[in-house]
Amino acid sequence: MRKQNLYYIFACFVIIFSIFYLNKRQEVKKVPSSQRLANFPIELKGFTGETANPSSINFRDSSADESIFRFYTKNGDNRLIHVVIGYWENQNEEKKINLPRYTSNQWDYYWIRTKPLKLGLTAVSSKEFLNEKGAERELVYYCYIINGKIISNEYYFRFLSMLNLLLYGRNNAALLRVSMPVTDEWPVEKAEIYEESLMMEILPLLSKYI
Amino acid sequence: MTENRALILKFGVLTALLMALYFPELRSMVITWSDKKEYSHGFLIPLISGYVVWLKRDKLRGTPLICNVKGLFMLIAGIVLLIIGNISFESSIRQYSFILSVMGLVYFMLGIDMYKTLLFPVGYLLFMIPLPYIVMNSIAVNLRLVNAKVTYNVLKLLGIPILREGVNLELPNMSLVVADLCTGILSLVAIMALAVFYAYITQKNFISRVSLVLLAIPIAIFSNMFRLIMTVGLAYVYGQRILGDVIHQFHGTVNFFITVFLLIVAGKFIHKMDIKISKKALS
């Protein structure tokens, strides 16, 4: 048999095998959180929290396996900082972490930047954007937590999800979103200080839950 | 001759198998084209690609068919990419892998010469694939702000009382938001597809083709800005009714034809420049 025919048969075999493989692929394994997110502390260093109604926070993503919606206030100040933490035991076509930038109808953002945060000696990055609807504004921070890493870049997050799935057969991940209304009296600079200090309290604790 | 027939038959079998493998992706693409009007140009892409193959029919007839094992690696790379995209639930990776697999199949079964001849029509199929969501958003967010700024400055220069807050434009009679769809990002994809085809059939050399395609980007962006300025200006004069579906749609269609016209003008200009340069080089 000529070599060319062998290659041809091999190509046919590869394609047929792929058809069967793709049709029989199993569900990605679920990795439950190590502690229930609902037990995440209400009291943090310098902040006090309370459970919020999900509809009162400008965020929509109902595909998380576990999620908490909270309002935190800095001790001695009654301004609300909105916190959403979502945990996905696994992700698939229907259930995956989407960009948290697009929120409710008519809300839009017009600038976004990467903001480094210092967690002890290590620096992690988060994304910061100003969300607005007419005269209403909110300053939003978000980051993803995957395989112990805190990252903000969507492409890198997708890449890590894919890599984890290929190497370890799992793609569990979490999303942290912190936001705060911004007004003329309460400008972006002040909201940044509050939100960043809250994130620095949440992030080290969060790793124990997921 | 008999050998060629056998090769074409084998090519047909492998093509059928590849289509079966990619059937879910192809179906998903067709659904996207029909469900989302911003991707409706997707239906035209395989037709244009087929037309280019038809244009090359004489060259294709004279091209020798020689099986090349290097193409097998390319085909397998495409299939591996499909599997990775499937495992990681990334539809874009799966859809882009289709182009690589088709290229690999042509290279493997029909040889390097045929591969080179069909590189453009097969590569052109890239335009039928919907842009990944995150890429689309990253471009759109920047375009929105630029569009809002330009619209604000132009209308202010024209004496229209207008205020801008980010992407919100405030007129005395209404507030408008420059939404993602207003950025022209979606028409930009369709216009780029058109520009690549137009450059391929009208321009003789590679530099002219690339120049025309690159020129298509500012043409599409500026004509969309013009549309936005007109819409906001007319909304100031005639009120809310100018934003109604029919007028807005009509405005979009007219704008598309203006863009195509500008593209043709740019194409003719580049062609003339090309002839001039060639003549100079000869003399």
Short mmCIF file of all heavy atoms in Angstrom, two decimals, chain A residues 110-160:
data_model
loop_
_atom_site.label_atom_id
_atom_site.label_comp_id
_atom_site.label_asym_id
_atom_site.label_seq_id
_atom_site.Cartn_x
_atom_site.Cartn_y
_atom_site.Cartn_z
N TYR A 110 -17.54 54.03 30.55
CA TYR A 110 -16.79 54.69 29.49
C TYR A 110 -15.30 54.79 29.75
O TYR A 110 -14.58 55.26 28.90
CB TYR A 110 -17.42 56.03 29.10
CG TYR A 110 -17.17 57.18 30.04
CD1 TYR A 110 -16.11 58.05 29.80
CD2 TYR A 110 -18.00 57.41 31.11
CE1 TYR A 110 -15.90 59.12 30.64
CE2 TYR A 110 -17.78 58.47 31.95
CZ TYR A 110 -16.73 59.34 31.72
OH TYR A 110 -16.51 60.38 32.54
N TRP A 111 -14.83 54.39 30.90
CA TRP A 111 -13.38 54.18 31.02
C TRP A 111 -13.14 52.99 31.92
O TRP A 111 -13.94 52.65 32.77
CB TRP A 111 -12.62 55.42 31.47
CG TRP A 111 -12.94 56.01 32.83
CD1 TRP A 111 -13.61 57.17 33.06
CD2 TRP A 111 -12.56 55.52 34.13
NE1 TRP A 111 -13.70 57.41 34.40
CE2 TRP A 111 -13.06 56.42 35.08
CE3 TRP A 111 -11.87 54.39 34.58
CZ2 TRP A 111 -12.90 56.24 36.45
CZ3 TRP A 111 -11.70 54.21 35.95
CH2 TRP A 111 -12.21 55.13 36.86
N ILE A 112 -12.02 52.38 31.68
CA ILE A 112 -11.65 51.20 32.46
C ILE A 112 -10.13 51.17 32.57
O ILE A 112 -9.44 51.59 31.65
CB ILE A 112 -12.19 49.91 31.81
CG1 ILE A 112 -11.85 48.70 32.68
CG2 ILE A 112 -11.69 49.69 30.41
CD1 ILE A 112 -12.73 47.51 32.49
N ARG A 113 -9.63 50.78 33.72
CA ARG A 113 -8.17 50.67 33.85
C ARG A 113 -7.82 49.53 34.80
O ARG A 113 -8.63 49.12 35.62
CB ARG A 113 -7.57 51.99 34.32
CG ARG A 113 -8.12 52.50 35.63
CD ARG A 113 -7.61 53.91 35.89
NE ARG A 113 -8.24 54.48 37.08
CZ ARG A 113 -8.48 55.76 37.25
NH1 ARG A 113 -8.17 56.62 36.31
NH2 ARG A 113 -9.02 56.21 38.36
N THR A 114 -6.58 49.08 34.68
CA THR A 114 -6.09 48.03 35.57
C THR A 114 -5.52 48.70 36.81
O THR A 114 -4.79 49.68 36.71
CB THR A 114 -5.02 47.19 34.86
OG1 THR A 114 -5.59 46.69 33.65
CG2 THR A 114 -4.56 46.03 35.71
N LYS A 115 -5.90 48.20 37.96
CA LYS A 115 -5.45 48.82 39.20
C LYS A 115 -4.72 47.77 40.05
O LYS A 115 -5.31 46.79 40.46
CB LYS A 115 -6.68 49.36 39.94
CG LYS A 115 -6.41 50.40 41.00
CD LYS A 115 -6.09 51.75 40.38
CE LYS A 115 -5.52 52.73 41.38
NZ LYS A 115 -6.53 53.43 42.15
N PRO A 116 -3.42 48.00 40.31
CA PRO A 116 -2.73 47.03 41.17
C PRO A 116 -3.11 47.22 42.64
O PRO A 116 -3.30 48.35 43.09
CB PRO A 116 -1.25 47.34 40.93
CG PRO A 116 -1.20 48.67 40.30
CD PRO A 116 -2.55 49.06 39.84
N LEU A 117 -3.23 46.11 43.35
CA LEU A 117 -3.54 46.17 44.79
C LEU A 117 -2.44 45.43 45.52
O LEU A 117 -1.95 44.41 45.04
CB LEU A 117 -4.88 45.48 45.08
CG LEU A 117 -6.15 46.05 44.47
CD1 LEU A 117 -7.32 45.13 44.77
CD2 LEU A 117 -6.44 47.44 45.02
N LYS A 118 -2.06 45.95 46.68
CA LYS A 118 -1.01 45.27 47.45
C LYS A 118 -1.63 44.42 48.54
O LYS A 118 -2.33 44.94 49.40
CB LYS A 118 -0.06 46.31 48.04
CG LYS A 118 1.07 46.67 47.11
CD LYS A 118 2.30 47.08 47.88
CE LYS A 118 3.53 46.96 47.00
NZ LYS A 118 4.72 47.40 47.69
N LEU A 119 -1.36 43.12 48.44
CA LEU A 119 -1.84 42.22 49.50
C LEU A 119 -0.60 41.75 50.24
O LEU A 119 0.07 40.81 49.82
CB LEU A 119 -2.57 41.02 48.92
CG LEU A 119 -3.92 41.26 48.24
CD1 LEU A 119 -4.51 39.96 47.77
CD2 LEU A 119 -4.88 41.94 49.20
N GLY A 120 -0.27 42.42 51.30
CA GLY A 120 0.96 42.10 52.02
C GLY A 120 2.14 42.43 51.13
O GLY A 120 2.27 43.57 50.67
N LEU A 121 2.94 41.40 50.85
CA LEU A 121 4.12 41.66 50.02
C LEU A 121 3.83 41.45 48.53
O LEU A 121 4.59 41.87 47.68
CB LEU A 121 5.26 40.72 50.45
CG LEU A 121 5.87 41.04 51.83
CD1 LEU A 121 6.86 39.96 52.24
CD2 LEU A 121 6.53 42.41 51.86
N THR A 122 2.71 40.76 48.26
CA THR A 122 2.43 40.48 46.85
C THR A 122 1.48 41.51 46.24
O THR A 122 0.59 42.03 46.93
CB THR A 122 1.80 39.07 46.68
OG1 THR A 122 0.68 39.01 47.57
CG2 THR A 122 2.76 37.97 46.97
N ALA A 123 1.71 41.78 44.97
CA ALA A 123 0.83 42.72 44.27
C ALA A 123 -0.11 41.93 43.37
O ALA A 123 0.33 41.02 42.66
CB ALA A 123 1.67 43.69 43.45
N VAL A 124 -1.38 42.23 43.43
CA VAL A 124 -2.34 41.59 42.54
C VAL A 124 -3.01 42.69 41.72
O VAL A 124 -2.94 43.86 42.08
CB VAL A 124 -3.41 40.78 43.31
CG1 VAL A 124 -2.78 39.62 44.05
CG2 VAL A 124 -4.19 41.65 44.26
N SER A 125 -3.66 42.28 40.65
CA SER A 125 -4.28 43.34 39.85
C SER A 125 -5.80 43.18 39.81
O SER A 125 -6.32 42.07 39.88
CB SER A 125 -3.70 43.34 38.43
OG SER A 125 -4.29 42.34 37.68
N SER A 126 -6.44 44.32 39.75
CA SER A 126 -7.90 44.31 39.63
C SER A 126 -8.27 45.29 38.51
O SER A 126 -7.42 46.06 38.07
CB SER A 126 -8.54 44.76 40.94
OG SER A 126 -8.22 46.10 41.17
N LYS A 127 -9.49 45.23 38.05
CA LYS A 127 -9.95 46.17 37.02
C LYS A 127 -10.87 47.17 37.70
O LYS A 127 -11.67 46.81 38.57
CB LYS A 127 -10.70 45.45 35.91
CG LYS A 127 -9.78 44.80 34.90
CD LYS A 127 -9.53 45.70 33.71
CE LYS A 127 -8.33 45.26 32.88
NZ LYS A 127 -8.52 44.07 32.10
N GLU A 128 -10.77 48.40 37.27
CA GLU A 128 -11.58 49.47 37.85
C GLU A 128 -12.29 50.19 36.70
O GLU A 128 -11.67 50.49 35.69
CB GLU A 128 -10.64 50.44 38.56
CG GLU A 128 -11.30 51.64 39.17
CD GLU A 128 -10.29 52.73 39.54
OE1 GLU A 128 -9.17 52.72 39.00
OE2 GLU A 128 -10.64 53.60 40.33
N PHE A 129 -13.59 50.39 36.83
CA PHE A 129 -14.28 51.16 35.78
C PHE A 129 -15.40 52.00 36.37
O PHE A 129 -15.90 51.72 37.46
CB PHE A 129 -14.80 50.24 34.67
CG PHE A 129 -15.91 49.31 35.05
CD1 PHE A 129 -17.24 49.69 34.91
CD2 PHE A 129 -15.65 48.03 35.50
CE1 PHE A 129 -18.27 48.82 35.22
CE2 PHE A 129 -16.66 47.15 35.82
CZ PHE A 129 -17.98 47.54 35.68
N LEU A 130 -15.72 53.05 35.65
CA LEU A 130 -16.79 53.94 36.09
C LEU A 130 -18.05 53.59 35.29
O LEU A 130 -18.07 53.72 34.07
CB LEU A 130 -16.41 55.40 35.88
CG LEU A 130 -17.37 56.40 36.51
CD1 LEU A 130 -17.30 56.35 38.02
CD2 LEU A 130 -17.04 57.83 36.06
N ASN A 131 -19.06 53.16 36.01
CA ASN A 131 -20.30 52.75 35.38
C ASN A 131 -21.30 53.88 35.54
O ASN A 131 -21.36 54.50 36.60
CB ASN A 131 -20.80 51.51 36.14
CG ASN A 131 -21.60 50.58 35.28
OD1 ASN A 131 -21.57 50.69 34.06
ND2 ASN A 131 -22.32 49.67 35.91
N GLU A 132 -22.07 54.16 34.51
CA GLU A 132 -23.01 55.26 34.68
C GLU A 132 -24.30 55.07 33.90
O GLU A 132 -24.36 54.35 32.91
CB GLU A 132 -22.36 56.59 34.31
CG GLU A 132 -21.75 56.63 32.94
CD GLU A 132 -21.18 57.99 32.61
OE1 GLU A 132 -20.68 58.68 33.50
OE2 GLU A 132 -21.26 58.37 31.43
N LYS A 133 -25.33 55.71 34.43
CA LYS A 133 -26.63 55.71 33.76
C LYS A 133 -27.18 57.12 33.96
O LYS A 133 -27.59 57.47 35.07
CB LYS A 133 -27.53 54.67 34.42
CG LYS A 133 -28.93 54.61 33.87
CD LYS A 133 -29.72 53.66 34.73
CE LYS A 133 -31.18 53.67 34.38
NZ LYS A 133 -31.96 52.87 35.34
N GLY A 134 -27.11 57.92 32.94
CA GLY A 134 -27.50 59.32 33.08
C GLY A 134 -26.63 59.99 34.12
O GLY A 134 -25.41 59.98 34.01
N ALA A 135 -27.25 60.53 35.16
CA ALA A 135 -26.49 61.22 36.19
C ALA A 135 -25.98 60.27 37.28
O ALA A 135 -25.15 60.64 38.10
CB ALA A 135 -27.36 62.30 36.82
N GLU A 136 -26.51 59.03 37.29
CA GLU A 136 -26.08 58.06 38.30
C GLU A 136 -24.73 57.47 37.91
O GLU A 136 -24.50 57.17 36.75
CB GLU A 136 -27.08 56.90 38.37
CG GLU A 136 -28.38 57.22 39.07
CD GLU A 136 -29.27 56.00 39.08
OE1 GLU A 136 -29.08 55.13 39.93
OE2 GLU A 136 -30.15 55.93 38.19
N ARG A 137 -23.87 57.32 38.93
CA ARG A 137 -22.55 56.74 38.65
C ARG A 137 -22.14 55.79 39.76
O ARG A 137 -22.53 55.99 40.91
CB ARG A 137 -21.49 57.86 38.59
CG ARG A 137 -21.59 58.72 37.39
CD ARG A 137 -20.72 59.92 37.55
NE ARG A 137 -20.42 60.47 36.25
CZ ARG A 137 -19.32 61.14 35.96
NH1 ARG A 137 -18.42 61.35 36.89
NH2 ARG A 137 -19.12 61.61 34.76
N GLU A 138 -21.35 54.80 39.38
CA GLU A 138 -20.77 53.93 40.40
C GLU A 138 -19.38 53.53 39.97
O GLU A 138 -19.11 53.34 38.78
CB GLU A 138 -21.65 52.71 40.66
CG GLU A 138 -21.84 51.80 39.47
CD GLU A 138 -22.50 50.47 39.83
OE1 GLU A 138 -22.91 50.28 40.97
OE2 GLU A 138 -22.58 49.63 38.92
N LEU A 139 -18.49 53.44 40.95
CA LEU A 139 -17.12 53.02 40.67
C LEU A 139 -17.04 51.53 41.00
O LEU A 139 -17.35 51.12 42.12
CB LEU A 139 -16.13 53.80 41.53
CG LEU A 139 -14.68 53.46 41.26
CD1 LEU A 139 -14.22 53.98 39.90
CD2 LEU A 139 -13.77 54.01 42.34
N VAL A 140 -16.64 50.75 40.01
CA VAL A 140 -16.65 49.29 40.18
C VAL A 140 -15.23 48.72 40.08
O VAL A 140 -14.45 49.14 39.24
CB VAL A 140 -17.54 48.62 39.10
CG1 VAL A 140 -17.68 47.13 39.36
CG2 VAL A 140 -18.90 49.27 39.01
N TYR A 141 -14.95 47.79 40.96
CA TYR A 141 -13.71 47.02 40.91
C TYR A 141 -14.10 45.56 40.73
O TYR A 141 -15.12 45.13 41.27
CB TYR A 141 -12.96 47.11 42.24
CG TYR A 141 -12.13 48.35 42.42
CD1 TYR A 141 -12.73 49.55 42.80
CD2 TYR A 141 -10.75 48.32 42.24
CE1 TYR A 141 -11.97 50.69 42.98
CE2 TYR A 141 -9.99 49.46 42.42
CZ TYR A 141 -10.60 50.64 42.79
OH TYR A 141 -9.85 51.77 42.96
N TYR A 142 -13.30 44.84 39.98
CA TYR A 142 -13.55 43.40 39.92
C TYR A 142 -12.26 42.64 39.66
O TYR A 142 -11.29 43.20 39.13
CB TYR A 142 -14.62 43.04 38.88
CG TYR A 142 -14.20 43.20 37.43
CD1 TYR A 142 -13.58 42.15 36.75
CD2 TYR A 142 -14.44 44.38 36.75
CE1 TYR A 142 -13.22 42.30 35.42
CE2 TYR A 142 -14.07 44.53 35.43
CZ TYR A 142 -13.46 43.50 34.76
OH TYR A 142 -13.08 43.64 33.46
N CYS A 143 -12.25 41.40 40.06
CA CYS A 143 -11.13 40.51 39.74
C CYS A 143 -11.60 39.06 39.78
O CYS A 143 -12.67 38.77 40.33
CB CYS A 143 -9.95 40.73 40.68
SG CYS A 143 -10.31 40.43 42.39
N TYR A 144 -10.84 38.20 39.17
CA TYR A 144 -11.17 36.78 39.14
C TYR A 144 -10.19 36.03 40.03
O TYR A 144 -9.04 36.45 40.16
CB TYR A 144 -11.04 36.21 37.72
CG TYR A 144 -11.79 36.98 36.67
CD1 TYR A 144 -11.12 37.88 35.83
CD2 TYR A 144 -13.15 36.81 36.49
CE1 TYR A 144 -11.80 38.58 34.84
CE2 TYR A 144 -13.83 37.51 35.50
CZ TYR A 144 -13.14 38.40 34.69
OH TYR A 144 -13.81 39.09 33.72
N ILE A 145 -10.66 34.97 40.63
CA ILE A 145 -9.76 34.13 41.43
C ILE A 145 -9.83 32.73 40.85
O ILE A 145 -10.90 32.12 40.80
CB ILE A 145 -10.16 34.13 42.92
CG1 ILE A 145 -10.13 35.56 43.46
CG2 ILE A 145 -9.21 33.27 43.76
CD1 ILE A 145 -11.44 36.12 43.79
N ILE A 146 -8.69 32.28 40.37
CA ILE A 146 -8.66 30.95 39.77
C ILE A 146 -7.37 30.25 40.16
O ILE A 146 -6.29 30.86 40.04
CB ILE A 146 -8.85 31.02 38.23
CG1 ILE A 146 -8.87 29.61 37.64
CG2 ILE A 146 -7.82 31.90 37.54
CD1 ILE A 146 -9.41 29.53 36.24
N ASN A 147 -7.50 29.05 40.64
CA ASN A 147 -6.34 28.24 41.01
C ASN A 147 -5.40 29.01 41.95
O ASN A 147 -4.19 28.97 41.80
CB ASN A 147 -5.61 27.83 39.73
CG ASN A 147 -4.94 26.50 39.88
OD1 ASN A 147 -5.22 25.78 40.84
ND2 ASN A 147 -4.07 26.16 38.96
N GLY A 148 -5.96 29.76 42.89
CA GLY A 148 -5.15 30.51 43.86
C GLY A 148 -4.61 31.83 43.34
O GLY A 148 -3.97 32.57 44.07
N LYS A 149 -4.85 32.13 42.07
CA LYS A 149 -4.33 33.38 41.49
C LYS A 149 -5.43 34.42 41.43
O LYS A 149 -6.58 34.11 41.10
CB LYS A 149 -3.82 33.12 40.07
CG LYS A 149 -2.52 32.38 39.99
CD LYS A 149 -2.01 32.46 38.53
CE LYS A 149 -0.69 31.78 38.37
NZ LYS A 149 -0.79 30.31 38.34
N ILE A 150 -5.05 35.68 41.71
CA ILE A 150 -6.01 36.78 41.59
C ILE A 150 -5.63 37.56 40.34
O ILE A 150 -4.52 38.10 40.25
CB ILE A 150 -5.96 37.70 42.83
CG1 ILE A 150 -6.31 36.87 44.08
CG2 ILE A 150 -6.89 38.88 42.68
CD1 ILE A 150 -5.96 37.55 45.38
N ILE A 151 -6.52 37.58 39.38
CA ILE A 151 -6.19 38.24 38.11
C ILE A 151 -7.34 39.12 37.64
O ILE A 151 -8.49 38.93 38.05
CB ILE A 151 -5.83 37.21 37.00
CG1 ILE A 151 -6.91 36.13 36.92
CG2 ILE A 151 -4.47 36.62 37.20
CD1 ILE A 151 -6.77 35.24 35.72
N SER A 152 -7.00 40.04 36.74
CA SER A 152 -8.05 40.93 36.26
C SER A 152 -8.21 40.87 34.74
O SER A 152 -9.19 41.32 34.20
CB SER A 152 -7.74 42.36 36.67
OG SER A 152 -6.53 42.77 36.07
N ASN A 153 -7.20 40.33 34.07
CA ASN A 153 -7.25 40.30 32.61
C ASN A 153 -8.15 39.17 32.11
O ASN A 153 -7.92 38.00 32.45
CB ASN A 153 -5.83 40.11 32.08
CG ASN A 153 -5.76 40.20 30.58
OD1 ASN A 153 -6.38 39.41 29.87
ND2 ASN A 153 -5.02 41.16 30.08
N GLU A 154 -9.15 39.52 31.32
CA GLU A 154 -10.14 38.53 30.84
C GLU A 154 -9.49 37.44 29.99
O GLU A 154 -9.83 36.27 30.11
CB GLU A 154 -11.21 39.20 29.98
CG GLU A 154 -12.28 39.91 30.73
CD GLU A 154 -11.84 41.28 31.23
OE1 GLU A 154 -11.01 41.91 30.55
OE2 GLU A 154 -12.30 41.70 32.30
N TYR A 155 -8.56 37.87 29.14
CA TYR A 155 -7.94 36.90 28.24
C TYR A 155 -7.12 35.89 29.04
O TYR A 155 -7.15 34.69 28.79
CB TYR A 155 -7.02 37.62 27.23
CG TYR A 155 -7.76 38.58 26.35
CD1 TYR A 155 -7.83 39.93 26.65
CD2 TYR A 155 -8.42 38.13 25.20
CE1 TYR A 155 -8.51 40.82 25.85
CE2 TYR A 155 -9.10 39.01 24.38
CZ TYR A 155 -9.15 40.35 24.72
OH TYR A 155 -9.83 41.23 23.91
N TYR A 156 -6.38 36.42 30.03
CA TYR A 156 -5.56 35.54 30.87
C TYR A 156 -6.47 34.61 31.68
O TYR A 156 -6.16 33.43 31.86
CB TYR A 156 -4.69 36.41 31.78
CG TYR A 156 -3.65 35.63 32.56
CD1 TYR A 156 -2.91 34.62 31.96
CD2 TYR A 156 -3.41 35.91 33.91
CE1 TYR A 156 -1.96 33.90 32.68
CE2 TYR A 156 -2.47 35.19 34.64
CZ TYR A 156 -1.75 34.19 34.01
OH TYR A 156 -0.82 33.48 34.73
N PHE A 157 -7.58 35.16 32.14
CA PHE A 157 -8.52 34.34 32.91
C PHE A 157 -9.06 33.19 32.06
O PHE A 157 -9.10 32.04 32.49
CB PHE A 157 -9.68 35.21 33.43
CG PHE A 157 -10.79 34.40 34.02
CD1 PHE A 157 -10.61 33.70 35.20
CD2 PHE A 157 -12.03 34.32 33.39
CE1 PHE A 157 -11.64 32.92 35.74
CE2 PHE A 157 -13.05 33.56 33.92
CZ PHE A 157 -12.85 32.86 35.09
N ARG A 158 -9.44 33.52 30.83
CA ARG A 158 -9.95 32.47 29.92
C ARG A 158 -8.86 31.43 29.66
O ARG A 158 -9.12 30.24 29.60
CB ARG A 158 -10.38 33.09 28.58
CG ARG A 158 -11.58 34.00 28.68
CD ARG A 158 -12.85 33.18 28.67
NE ARG A 158 -14.00 34.01 28.91
CZ ARG A 158 -14.82 34.42 27.96
NH1 ARG A 158 -14.61 34.07 26.72
NH2 ARG A 158 -15.86 35.18 28.26
N PHE A 159 -7.65 31.94 29.49
CA PHE A 159 -6.53 31.04 29.20
C PHE A 159 -6.29 30.10 30.37
O PHE A 159 -6.13 28.90 30.19
CB PHE A 159 -5.27 31.86 28.89
CG PHE A 159 -4.02 31.04 28.76
CD1 PHE A 159 -3.83 30.25 27.63
CD2 PHE A 159 -3.06 31.02 29.76
CE1 PHE A 159 -2.69 29.46 27.51
CE2 PHE A 159 -1.92 30.24 29.65
CZ PHE A 159 -1.73 29.45 28.52
N LEU A 160 -6.29 30.66 31.60
CA LEU A 160 -6.07 29.83 32.79
C LEU A 160 -7.20 28.81 32.98
O LEU A 160 -6.94 27.67 33.37
CB LEU A 160 -5.95 30.70 34.04
CG LEU A 160 -4.61 31.38 34.28
CD1 LEU A 160 -4.62 32.11 35.60
CD2 LEU A 160 -3.46 30.40 34.25
#
